[in-house]
Amino acid sequence: MARSSQGKVITILSIDGGGVRGIIPGTILAFLESQFQKLDGSDARIADYFDYIAGTSTGGLVTAMLTTPNEKNRPLFRADEITEFYLKESPHIFPQDKAKPRAEKIVDWIQSMLFRPKYDGEYLRGKIKNMIGDRKLSQTLTNVVIPAFDVHEFQPVIFSSLQAKGDDTKDCLLADVCISTSAAPYYLPPYRFEVKSSKGTKIYNTVDGGVAANNPTLLAIREATQEMWRSSSSSNRAIDHDVTFVILSLGTGSAKGVLKFDVEDGKTWGLVNWFMGPGDSTPLIDVFESALSDMADIYTSMFLHGTPSNDTYLRIQIDGLKYEDTMTDNAKEENLSNLVHISNDLLKRPVSSVNFETGFYEPISDKRKPVGKADWTNEMALVE
């Protein structure tokens, strides 16, 4: 991605939520890191190139993997290990039951909805704690922003490494942050943890950050902007025109254009309909996830329009996937392999942006392409 040659440049990486679809940003980041390594050597890592990395849910887990320090104070994971992690661990996080008749599925759903989440989350929690250990939010190798939602306080919680460095009441264990942002309602149980500090004990009761910001790009911009205000001697709270944001925002794919819910008689849409749609879909969750991601992209595009950052904002997302490809917990081997294929294909697709009228991603206009780049792909944009 191109950097501005004038003024201050702030680099941001943002990663959407999406369960097993974390394979998609994982594959893209593996490609990007390989390009950095061609320039700066085999030890180059994603965290070396971004001032802020924001991630929600599965994106929050990827963020931690990229920024948690190991014993040599380098990232715990290389980017090319992320997809390997998902391929290996997803079937344990979301164990797949053998196909059941719809009647049995309805019984299972009722039991889950009334008494327990779909999965107990024990494997995921144990895996995260084992990987990250006792490392804290303030120790990340670059600034991170990871959202969750506190159901006791009934408000979003933004876990920020910058804030953690200045306030020990916010310096949570990174493992707790990852479990919190990944606690997707219906799929995984809420997570309760506490932070002991010089000011007392702070208790969190959290669920998945995707209920508030499934696409955390704007949260990262806000964090960077607030830090500029804190470090500035000026009382002006406007964005400095000499600042250019270089933003890479990675989606996890959607079934928009394929998954459609017909409401011939809305009066029949009760709780069962919202959680058991056609093809094993979960309409309520699918609607919220898609809407939150798309609205964040629309707001970001409008916010940056007419600024130098408009030309340094790259959103990589794909619409029109089959619904089974986009299911948060579809950890079947066939689907995971297909997600890898989708990810590699996405790199070869034209650079696109959201059409505000239709909501679909369409190839950008020729006037926004670099000179001589008629076939400008995501892969080319990442390299340049």
Side-chain angles (χ1 to χ4, degrees):
M1 294 178 63
R3 284 176 175 259
S4 171
S5 60
Q6 297 181 344
K8 181 177 176 61
V9 175
I10 295 176
T11 52
I12 292 173
L13 168 62
S14 175
I15 310 168
D16 285 16
V20 299
R21 303 197 311 277
I23 287 173
I24 295 177
T27 303
I28 293 170
L29 290 170
F31 169 78
L32 180 59
E33 190 169 87
S34 72
Q35 301 306 302
F36 289 147
Q37 290 170 348
K38 289 179 181 179
L39 294 173
D40 299 321
S42 60
D43 194 43
R45 297 289 183 267
I46 293 292
D48 300 329
Y49 298 86
F50 290 93
D51 300 311
Y52 297 85
I53 301 181
T56 296
S57 194
T58 200
L61 180 56
V62 172
T63 296
M65 294 167 75
L66 295 171
T67 63
T68 299
N70 61 18
E71 65 280 356
K72 296 180 180 179
N73 206 39
R74 297 298 291 150
L76 197 60
F77 281 77
R78 301 190 311 270
D80 62 5
E81 294 176 309
I82 293 173
T83 294
E84 179 183 338
F85 172 88
Y86 278 88
L87 293 175
K88 179 182 178 181
E89 303 298 344
S90 293
H92 301 292
I93 298 169
F94 301 116
Q96 304 294 291
D97 293 331
K98 294 181 180 180
K100 295 180 180 180
R102 185 171 177 83
E104 288 188 37
K105 289 183 179 180
I106 292 175
V107 172
D108 288 345
W109 174 84
I110 292 173
Q111 290 177 338
S112 294
M113 289 300 297
L114 293 180
F115 305 110
R116 62 180 184 273
K118 190 172 183 180
Y119 307 96
D120 63 24
E122 290 301 319
Y123 184 87
L124 177 61
R125 293 183 181 189
K127 190 67 183 179
I128 289 174
K129 290 179 179 180
N130 184 58
M131 286 192 316
I132 299 178
D134 60 358
R135 297 172 181 88
K136 290 193 170 185
L137 185 58
S138 61
Q139 295 176 279
T140 55
L141 296 171
T142 191
N143 301 313
V144 304
V145 182
I146 301 175
F149 191 90
D150 192 308
V151 294
H152 179 76
E153 301 298 331
F154 217 70
Q155 65 178 8
V157 178
I158 312 302
F159 294 110
S160 158
S161 57
L162 267 176
Q163 294 179 29
K165 291 173 183 177
D167 184 349
D168 63 355
T169 65
K170 299 180 179 180
D171 197 12
C172 312
L173 290 174
L174 260 173
D176 289 334
V177 173
C178 289
I179 296 170
S180 294
T181 195
S182 302
Y186 173 63
Y187 295 105
L188 294 165
Y191 186 58
R192 179 185 175 92
F193 70 97
E194 60 183 39
V195 178
K196 295 182 179 179
S197 69
S198 58
K199 300 178 183 177
T201 300
K202 168 69 174 177
I203 297 175
Y204 292 88
N205 298 270
T206 53
V207 296
D208 194 317
V211 305
N214 201 54
N215 172 349
T217 304
L218 287 171
L219 294 180
I221 294 174
R222 170 187 174 272
E223 188 76 3
T225 303
Q226 287 190 323
E227 179 60 16
M228 282 191 291
W229 292 345
R230 284 192 290 264
S231 60
S232 173
S233 58
S234 171
S235 60
N236 183 16
R237 287 296 181 261
I239 297 292
D240 191 332
H241 291 292
D242 290 332
V243 173
T244 299
F245 290 101
V246 177
I247 303 171
L248 174 59
S249 176
L250 302 180
T252 55
S254 81
K256 183 181 292 185
V258 175
L259 181 63
K260 298 179 180 180
F261 302 120
D262 293 321
V263 188
E264 295 179 1
D265 181 7
K267 294 180 180 179
T268 66
W269 274 61
L271 195 60
V272 171
N273 304 83
W274 277 108
F275 279 90
M276 290 198 71
D280 289 335
S281 61
T282 51
L284 185 63
I285 294 173
D286 299 327
V287 167
F288 272 104
E289 182 180 279
S290 179
L292 289 167
S293 289
D294 289 352
M295 289 305 297
D297 183 29
I298 290 171
Y299 289 146
T300 302
S301 299
M302 295 177 67
F303 172 72
L304 298 177
H305 183 70
T307 73
S309 302
N310 184 60
D311 295 325
T312 54
Y313 170 53
L314 176 62
R315 170 75 170 168
I316 299 182
Q317 173 68 311
I318 181 171
D319 296 320
L321 299 181
K322 296 178 181 178
Y323 182 71
E324 53 264 33
D325 294 331
T326 66
M327 293 171 65
T328 296
D329 61 337
N330 187 352
K332 295 177 181 177
E333 182 178 354
E334 180 183 0
N335 184 60
L336 299 178
S337 297
N338 193 39
L339 287 173
V340 174
H341 174 76
I342 289 169
S343 307
N344 288 318
D345 179 68
L346 182 54
L347 284 167
K348 307 295 184 183
R349 286 177 174 256
V351 173
S352 301
S353 61
V354 66
N355 181 317
F356 294 158
E357 296 295 326
T358 66
F360 288 99
Y361 285 86
E362 300 173 355
I364 61 172
S365 62
D366 289 340
K367 66 180 181 180
R368 286 191 58 194
K369 298 177 182 177
V371 176
K373 301 291 185 181
D375 299 319
W376 199 37
T377 65
N378 290 318
E379 187 175 74
M380 295 167 65
L382 289 170
V383 171
E384 299 176 7

